[in-house]
Amino acid sequence: MASLYSAKYFLLVLCVVLCTFTFTFASDLNKDFQITWGDGRAKILNNGELLTLSLDKASGSGFQSKNEYLFGQIDMQLKLVPGNSAGTVTAYYLSSKGSTWDEIDFEFLGNLSGDPYILHTNVFSQGKGNREQQFYLWFDPTADFHTYSILWNPQHIVFSVDGTPIRKFKNLESMGVPYPKSQPMRIYSSLWNADDWATRGGLVKTDWSQAPFTSSYRNFKANACVFSSGASSCSSHSASSSTSGANSWLSQELDSAGEEKLKWVQKNYMIYNYCTDAKRFPQGFPLECKVA
């Protein structure tokens, strides 16, 4: 009887600890984001655990982060517009301001029911983009939430899906390629109508009888340098000791397993790479394309 009582007591204590942990670390999107447009079409629900954007014929909607970041490991779970989402775009990205802005993009291009979504990625530095890579996904991104991540540090930018890297953009300033490193960026997201180009080059238009279209967000996490009042929260000391602890992402490189996963995705799921589009660059490919 004593041992049975002890076991029950242990399970009770374990449950209390785990429940408290889950509650304590639940993401409150109200703390990190503010709705910026949409006239009520964007909502933060369930005490901040869920954010939804919607689109109808009159308007889309969007939100942005309250903080600006200068380097970070940014994770967000998204569930995309289900069914016939042709013509719609769900954009999720980092961006600075000004005419020579920096930007790191995820864009999800809608589809006809049964066709795969296209995941469109791009990197802007000093106002120059045109670095598109596009992918199909190896799962249905409308059936459940999946984690879309951006690792942005002084060495490279890595796009990942559920922990699997799909794209890497190296810092090649030594070759004269501008790299995002000095402009703080906010996180933005929007759901909008782009049926002039988004689905099959604009051949398939938005079916407004399917509206409202809705995308959902949860479980935001940012291990990042917050930029405020002209200074970064990551001191030179924390950067120099970044090989361990909370700031390990600042010096993180892909290990051999990560590089193999990256190659697997690019071999099997990449459908467009600007670095192989000779018609687009008749005078020669951009410098970064020449580095393996």
Side-chain angles (χ1 to χ4, degrees):
M1 287 296 291
S3 60
L4 181 60
Y5 176 82
S6 298
K8 288 182 176 179
Y9 179 78
F10 173 77
L11 289 174
L12 177 61
V13 171
L14 180 62
C15 178
V16 169
V17 170
L18 290 177
C19 291
T20 301
F21 181 88
T22 302
F23 175 79
T24 301
F25 287 89
S27 174
D28 183 355
L29 297 170
N30 283 298
K31 295 180 180 179
D32 295 299
F33 297 98
Q34 59 190 30
I35 293 168
T36 49
W37 64 284
D39 194 24
R41 291 172 178 83
K43 295 180 173 66
I44 299 178
L45 306 167
N46 302 345
N47 296 316
E49 292 183 4
L50 180 69
L51 191 157
T52 61
L53 296 181
S54 64
L55 163 71
D56 56 35
K57 197 168 185 178
S59 179
S61 52
F63 65 86
Q64 70 180 38
S65 64
K66 294 180 179 179
N67 287 326
E68 289 184 297
Y69 304 99
L70 188 58
F71 301 126
Q73 167 73 48
I74 309 293
D75 305 312
M76 178 77 90
Q77 289 192 326
L78 280 74
K79 183 164 67 172
L80 302 181
V81 174
N84 180 0
S85 59
T88 71
V89 172
T90 301
Y92 175 69
Y93 59 103
L94 290 162
S95 182
S96 63
K97 296 291 188 181
S99 60
T100 56
W101 76 100
D102 295 336
E103 187 171 317
I104 305 169
D105 291 344
F106 277 119
E107 289 187 300
F108 304 90
L109 310 186
N111 58 11
L112 286 169
S113 297
D115 289 346
Y117 258 83
I118 291 176
L119 171 52
H120 176 100
T121 67
N122 204 352
V123 175
F124 288 75
S125 50
Q126 298 296 310
K128 180 182 179 298
N130 299 323
R131 298 186 175 105
E132 299 90 348
Q133 289 183 359
Q134 295 182 338
F135 306 83
Y136 287 141
L137 294 166
W138 49 95
F139 53 83
D140 178 359
T142 74
D144 203 352
F145 286 89
H146 292 269
T147 302
Y148 301 89
S149 305
I150 294 169
L151 170 63
W152 169 37
N153 66 24
Q155 292 77 242
H156 55 202
I157 296 163
V158 179
F159 298 77
S160 298
V161 178
D162 288 336
T164 297
I166 65 169
R167 178 177 184 177
K168 179 171 68 172
F169 183 80
K170 296 180 181 179
N171 182 343
L172 296 174
E173 286 185 305
S174 61
M175 295 176 55
V177 179
Y179 184 80
K181 67 171 188 178
S182 58
Q183 299 187 63
M185 296 195 268
R186 291 189 193 274
I187 301 164
Y188 297 89
S189 189
S190 57
L191 174 58
W192 50 290
N193 179 44
D195 65 4
D196 57 333
W197 66 271
T199 306
R200 296 182 183 174
L203 294 177
V204 182
K205 301 301 182 181
T206 305
D207 180 0
W208 294 111
S209 70
Q210 305 294 315
F213 304 97
T214 302
S215 58
S216 303
Y217 304 74
R218 71 179 189 189
N219 290 347
F220 170 72
K221 182 180 179 183
N223 290 323
C225 303
V226 176
F227 194 86
S228 180
S229 302
S232 169
S233 62
C234 295
S235 66
S236 57
H237 171 75
S238 63
S240 65
S241 60
S242 62
T243 54
S244 62
N247 290 325
S248 59
W249 56 267
L250 260 174
S251 57
Q252 182 178 330
E253 300 277 359
L254 287 182
D255 59 15
S256 57
E259 292 286 356
E260 288 302 313
K261 289 179 181 178
L262 177 66
K263 290 177 184 177
W264 173 79
V265 171
Q266 298 205 337
K267 177 181 178 181
N268 293 287
Y269 294 97
M270 180 184 283
I271 57 173
Y272 178 79
N273 182 3
Y274 75 110
C275 282
T276 61
D277 191 345
K279 291 182 179 179
R280 187 175 175 188
F281 301 103
Q283 304 302 317
F285 290 112
L287 287 173
E288 67 269 17
C289 296
K290 301 172 184 178
V291 177

